Amino acid sequence: MDGFLPILGNGEHYVTPEKSKPGPPINKKNLPTFEEARNKILTNIKDIRDALDNVNEPFRVNEVVLNLKMLPGFTAKSFHPDTLIRHAGAVDIGSKKWTTTTLDNKNQPKEVIGKQIFLRMSDDSLKYFERQLHQKEALLPKGLVNEVLLIEDFFFGDNSELLKRFDDEWESGRIELVLHPFGDLEDQVIDKFVSLYQKFGGDPEKFKWRSYYPGPLFMSLFVNREILRNILFFNPIRTAHPLRFRGIPDVNRSLTKIPMPKSPSDEFKSSIIVGMFDGGVDDRNTYFNKFVNAQDAVSSYEDTEFMKHGNAVAGSLLYGNLQGYKSSETLPVPPVTVESFRVLPLSDPTDPDLYEVIDAIEEHVPKRDDIKVFNLSLGPEGAIEDDYISRFTYVIDRLSGNGERLFVVAVGNDGDHPDVDERRIQAPADTINNLAVGAFTFESDGVKVRAPYSCIGEGREGGKVKPDVVAFGGCEQYPFHLVGYDGKNRMFDVGTSFSAPLVAAKAAEIIGRCGVASPLIARSLIIHSASHPNKKYDKELGYGVIPDSVEEIMGCSKNKVTVLYKQQMLPKQFSKLQIPVVSGLDYDGPVDIRWTIAIATTPNGIHTEDYTTNCIEDTFYPNVNTYKFKAPKGSSSKKKSSKVNIKTQQSVVQALIDQGWVPNKYPITKSGNQYLNEQQRRANFKWDSVVKRDVSFNKYSELDSPYLILHAMDRNIQNPGDFFHYAIAVTVHYTDYQGDAYAETLRKYNKLQTIHVKSRNEVLVK
């Protein structure tokens, strides 16, 4: 590692508290009068009563789920109708988004978003709410009056639309139900549902449930279409979805007659461990026996076909793509070792129940504090849906919600599915706290492109940019070279099952070789270092292709400096983060600045449109002295505003002030409108757990003490106010500078420190 310049740490010493800033203006145009809104809700209540009269007792419990639709545009936490819910005697049990199309100012169609809130109410609370609404407006709390104006609709849903989630060809199979949280009525919900399931012919031996109260209640069960038609009308059900195992590739055709390189001859192995949940690993194979510890996480017997897939995944973790190695060469000692948890085959091959895999993950992961990174190259089949969060996704997001462990997940191999909607990423790649990995391959001219099979984004709310990154996964023309299951010959295959382990191994290596790195930091650095061929993220390659080596991720150059910041924030807090641009350089060429923010956030499984409970909103100020001055009202000036440097143009500043011009409160930002409303924030992915941005300047002199303002935002309705962790990587690239900006950065920002990155030999043990 001679000449290696490591990234710089301790950036948090250059983060300081900042005063809070005003929020976005509230637009209350076109709202109904209170009388209009009240009468509409009273009519809704009458309709709800009529609907409930037709619900048979087996299909409901002592309280029922009702739906409260907010007007489009009023989706922010500040508009949440807490007062109304309290005065209705209701319990807020979740929400989802709803959309409608309106016309914009140019008479063009425009999609707007609303929030639909689920309420749990008894017959008595519904009557109480009705009596409240009959009171005179002057006697009602102001909060209730204001919130009534924001209600679009209040109704009882019979779940009939859930059957549409199952196509006409679907006749029977395992499904997953997500039920609303019912608190102290949960036992009643489960008992009633089991009775209903058995009444219509369901087998109680093929039924499982897992509760995460105050989060969702998940159920896995086997049904045919007739059973499904009947049980879906059970009122506590929120959503339903086929639960099919994604399966594993057929690897029989892929064993070649090309000999493997020689296995590592060194007696040492890496102390860095990666966990994998898959089909098991044959640890008698000479390429695995020193570097894999295999254990059974399920009670089923080993199966050769599943183990072939597990071997391939383990081989990718340890050795990567073997294409660059000649058969006469000896493989180096792998940078990681593997802890294999066998979770396949499932106990009943005719009825694969993925709850067995999820149970194993929940059991084993918390016990292994020594493993920070886990690879998942398996999952349920089928594209994700916005209002359906699988138990698989929810569980791994919970297990990684504090940023102390990282799951690396393959996005799936249906990217070339005939049905465009089925090309979307597959669970649990819709995770918000982890890394979803797609696959790239090469065109004939060497350009990197999405492998045709690699599933595409968008992800769900809170993780819209999916995949996060891509790694080589191969294609028919350029297959992935893997360790053959016979221990002698190579295996050729393609898939995201093999690109994901490349990323998992690098993430583990970053943590193991860098003393200050955590899973959250590794996640931020991998995304930060990813390079997109088109210089912007998209739904095919995400943020781009990961570098070939950890040294590229963890390294700097003399004119390209990366600084790492790690900290925690409280919701509503503002902080100022100083960008480490060195002043006074003999240079006036272009400068590029890139930053990546990653947070660890608690998932909210009952609020699918608010699945991330926190985010950081960032605003970039390139020059501390450049302000916009606004012309006074009634001014005859043709210019309505003027950009002025208050340090170098003091005479201009004084002249403008004398004429009544007023400066903005803050310097000019290059991050756009800081007064975004909630819909604009969502459209701009503001609530994503990752933010990656690039800004470019033609001249170094345009910059003067640049900084970011970080605004910690929270929409955790149940438990607001908790700290959350973040990691930020900032790179300043003085594109054509010939001097040593790296050394100058360390000199000027003397609280920064070079991060010690161990060589691979330093992490080897016997």
Side-chain angles (χ1 to χ4, degrees):
M1 294 176 62
D2 290 342
F4 175 71
L5 298 176
I7 61 175
L8 305 180
N10 283 355
E12 54 272 15
H13 287 294
Y14 295 93
V15 179
T16 55
E18 180 74 3
K19 292 180 180 179
S20 62
K21 298 188 177 182
I26 297 173
N27 181 9
K28 292 189 176 182
K29 291 181 180 179
N30 303 319
L31 290 181
T33 65
F34 176 74
E35 198 61 34
E36 291 170 336
R38 168 167 53 187
N39 289 338
K40 184 177 181 181
I41 296 177
L42 287 170
T43 301
N44 290 156
I45 292 175
K46 182 181 181 302
D47 293 340
I48 289 171
R49 280 222 196 85
D50 292 341
L52 290 177
D53 287 342
N54 294 318
V55 177
N56 294 328
E57 191 272 339
F59 290 88
R60 58 166 291 182
V61 293
N62 293 347
E63 296 178 356
V64 294
V65 178
L66 301 178
N67 300 264
L68 190 71
K69 264 188 178 180
M70 305 289 290
L71 287 171
F74 293 92
T75 55
K77 180 185 173 183
S78 57
F79 298 122
H80 200 77
D82 297 303
T83 306
L84 184 151
I85 293 170
R86 186 169 62 252
H87 279 265
V91 179
D92 183 348
I93 54 172
S95 62
K96 67 177 183 179
K97 75 175 181 181
W98 69 279
T99 59
T100 188
T101 302
T102 62
L103 297 178
D104 62 17
N105 295 334
K106 298 180 180 179
N107 217 31
Q108 296 298 311
K110 179 181 73 171
E111 185 182 79
V112 293
I113 299 172
K115 177 187 285 190
Q116 182 171 323
I117 301 168
F118 299 106
L119 301 179
R120 210 176 72 218
M121 299 184 72
S122 66
D123 294 333
D124 288 342
S125 60
L126 191 61
K127 292 175 184 175
Y128 175 75
F129 185 36
E130 186 176 31
R131 288 197 301 271
Q132 290 277 302
L133 290 174
H134 275 297
Q135 292 187 57
K136 292 180 179 179
E137 179 180 347
L139 298 177
L140 294 172
K142 186 176 180 181
L144 174 61
V145 172
N146 290 337
E147 290 168 2
V148 165
L149 306 183
L150 306 181
I151 305 306
E152 170 82 8
D153 199 8
F154 185 39
F155 65 97
F156 173 81
D158 63 6
N159 290 343
S160 56
E161 79 284 354
L162 295 182
L163 199 58
K164 297 175 185 176
R165 304 267 175 102
F166 299 80
D167 58 44
D168 294 339
E169 287 74 38
W170 191 92
E171 291 298 329
S172 65
R174 185 160 287 276
I175 67 170
E176 181 172 62
L177 299 178
V178 183
L179 279 69
H180 295 282
F182 263 73
D184 54 3
L185 294 177
E186 189 171 83
D187 289 342
Q188 185 185 151
V189 169
I190 295 167
D191 290 344
K192 277 211 163 189
F193 180 80
V194 172
S195 298
L196 198 67
Y197 176 55
Q198 290 182 266
K199 174 184 176 181
F200 291 109
D203 182 355
E205 295 297 317
K206 294 193 172 185
F207 170 82
K208 291 180 181 176
W209 61 270
R210 299 290 184 269
S211 173
Y212 296 91
Y213 186 80
L217 172 64
F218 294 94
M219 291 181 174
S220 168
L221 57 155
F222 191 91
V223 297
N224 58 34
R225 199 168 192 91
E226 186 60 29
I227 297 173
L228 181 67
R229 281 196 191 99
N230 287 289
I231 63 172
L232 283 184
F233 291 99
F234 187 58
N235 174 252
I237 293 175
R238 172 169 175 158
T239 189
H241 195 82
L243 188 61
R244 299 185 293 261
F245 176 46
R246 193 183 298 175
I248 57 172
D250 178 8
V251 295
N252 282 316
R253 64 178 175 83
S254 304
L255 196 63
T256 70
K257 293 183 180 180
I258 302 174
M260 285 282 298
K262 297 174 184 177
S263 61
S265 56
D266 204 308
E267 292 298 318
F268 292 88
K269 65 178 181 179
S270 174
S271 60
I272 303 168
I273 307 172
V274 179
M276 60 171 272
F277 290 89
D278 213 283
V281 177
D282 182 1
D283 53 7
R284 297 165 297 179
N285 186 312
T286 56
Y287 294 88
F288 299 141
N289 57 10
K290 288 190 292 186
F291 309 113
V292 176
N293 182 47
Q295 59 175 291
D296 295 335
V298 290
S299 58
S300 61
Y301 292 106
E302 291 179 353
D303 181 277
T304 302
E305 295 306 310
F306 287 100
M307 188 170 284
K308 288 176 182 177
H309 186 261
N311 285 348
V313 172
S316 180
L317 280 168
L318 293 170
Y319 305 107
N321 180 20
L322 298 174
Q323 192 268 337
Y325 292 97
K326 297 177 181 178
S327 299
S328 59
E329 291 183 288
T330 299
L331 290 172
V333 175
V336 299
T337 56
V338 172
E339 187 79 14
S340 166
F341 300 92
R342 186 179 66 81
V343 292
L344 300 172
L346 301 170
S347 58
D348 185 351
T350 65
D351 174 28
D353 181 8
L354 277 170
Y355 275 31
E356 293 179 43
V357 175
I358 304 168
D359 288 346
I361 290 171
E362 282 193 304
E363 177 187 354
H364 289 277
V365 168
K367 296 176 182 177
R368 296 300 300 266
D369 289 336
D370 58 327
I371 304 177
K372 303 300 182 183
V373 179
F374 294 87
N375 185 83
L376 294 173
S377 291
L378 46 74
E381 180 186 330
I384 66 163
E385 297 177 22
D386 289 328
D387 188 42
Y388 167 74
I389 298 173
S390 74
R391 180 184 169 220
F392 212 146
T393 298
Y394 185 64
V395 163
I396 70 166
D397 271 332
R398 278 168 53 94
L399 289 170
S400 51
N402 58 5
E404 292 181 0
R405 59 176 66 93
L406 178 68
F407 292 87
V408 179
V409 187
V411 298
N413 297 330
D414 281 342
D416 52 1
H417 196 285
D419 183 346
V420 174
D421 291 339
E422 289 298 318
R423 297 176 187 175
R424 197 176 180 188
I425 62 167
Q426 301 173 338
D430 54 335
T431 173
I432 54 169
N433 284 319
N434 302 285
L435 286 172
V437 180
F440 78 82
T441 188
F442 299 96
E443 290 187 323
S444 57
D445 57 2
V447 174
K448 295 173 182 176
V449 295
R450 177 180 68 90
Y453 54 79
S454 183
C455 284
I456 62 175
E458 295 177 344
R460 69 174 56 261
E461 184 70 34
K464 289 284 186 68
V465 180
K466 295 291 177 178
D468 291 289
V469 295
V470 293
F472 179 72
C475 64
E476 291 297 323
Q477 187 176 359
Y478 304 104
F480 201 117
H481 290 223
L482 292 151
V483 176
Y485 49 83
D486 64 351
K488 299 177 182 178
N489 298 298
R490 302 178 193 223
M491 188 176 81
F492 286 178
D493 214 329
V494 303
T496 58
S497 284
F498 315 122
S499 60
L502 297 180
V503 178
K506 284 184 172 60
E509 202 178 341
I510 289 169
I511 298 166
R513 292 176 58 190
C514 174
V516 302
S518 66
L520 181 59
I521 289 171
R523 178 172 155 234
S524 67
L525 285 173
I526 284 172
I527 292 174
H528 186 70
S529 62
S531 175
H532 197 291
N534 297 326
K535 308 299 181 185
K536 59 182 181 180
Y537 59 75
D538 61 22
K539 65 181 182 180
E540 298 206 346
L541 300 180
Y543 288 110
V545 179
I546 64 165
D548 291 331
S549 70
V550 166
E551 282 74 17
E552 289 180 71
I553 298 172
M554 299 292 292
C556 299
S557 64
K558 288 186 177 181
N559 71 338
K560 191 175 183 179
V561 184
T562 297
V563 175
L564 189 62
Y565 306 73
K566 54 178 182 173
Q567 190 64 276
Q568 60 182 12
M569 292 184 79
L570 274 172
K572 300 182 181 180
Q573 181 180 343
F574 283 79
S575 294
K576 179 179 180 180
L577 181 148
Q578 192 170 355
I579 302 288
V581 171
V582 179
S583 60
L585 295 178
D586 183 16
Y587 175 68
D588 202 23
V591 178
D592 296 325
I593 299 176
R594 181 174 76 251
W595 65 92
T596 302
I597 304 171
I599 71 167
T601 179
T602 303
N604 195 334
I606 63 173
H607 293 278
T608 53
E609 94 293 356
D610 292 342
Y611 187 52
T612 46
T613 52
N614 304 104
C615 79
I616 290 179
E617 191 171 41
D618 57 312
T619 308
F620 177 61
Y621 297 88
N623 193 313
V624 71
N625 293 309
T626 304
Y627 283 75
K628 181 182 287 186
F629 280 66
K630 292 181 180 179
K633 289 183 180 180
S635 171
S636 59
S637 172
K638 293 181 179 180
K639 293 175 65 176
K640 298 300 179 184
S641 65
S642 182
K643 177 182 174 182
V644 181
N645 188 302
I646 61 173
K647 182 178 179 181
T648 61
Q649 297 176 283
Q650 292 183 7
S651 60
V652 176
V653 170
Q654 190 58 53
L656 289 174
I657 291 174
D658 290 344
Q659 296 170 35
W661 289 60
V662 179
N664 282 357
K665 189 174 181 181
Y666 303 101
I668 292 175
T669 172
K670 199 167 181 177
S671 301
N673 177 16
Q674 60 182 308
Y675 297 111
L676 295 172
N677 63 36
E678 181 66 12
Q679 184 149 337
Q680 290 168 323
R681 279 178 170 140
R682 291 172 189 266
N684 203 26
F685 300 168
K686 287 287 186 181
W687 286 100
D688 272 25
S689 60
V690 171
V691 171
K692 183 177 182 181
R693 308 202 193 279
D694 296 84
V695 290
S696 297
F697 299 88
N698 293 325
K699 291 187 174 183
Y700 165 72
S701 56
E702 296 177 64
L703 294 161
D704 188 350
S705 304
Y707 62 93
L708 286 172
I709 294 296
L710 308 177
H711 176 201
M713 300 177 67
D714 169 69
R715 55 183 180 184
N716 190 343
I717 295 166
Q718 293 177 330
N719 298 298
D722 290 339
F723 276 107
F724 64 93
H725 295 270
Y726 70 81
I728 302 180
V730 176
T731 297
V732 181
H733 187 193
Y734 308 86
T735 313
D736 300 324
Y737 184 56
Q738 301 302 309
D740 193 344
Y742 183 85
E744 287 296 315
T745 302
L746 278 170
R747 185 182 64 80
K748 178 174 180 182
Y749 298 92
N750 55 26
K751 294 178 183 177
L752 297 178
Q753 290 184 350
T754 56
I755 290 176
H756 175 59
V757 180
K758 299 175 183 176
S759 69
R760 284 193 173 185
N761 288 337
E762 288 182 86
V763 296
L764 297 183
V765 295
K766 276 199 174 183

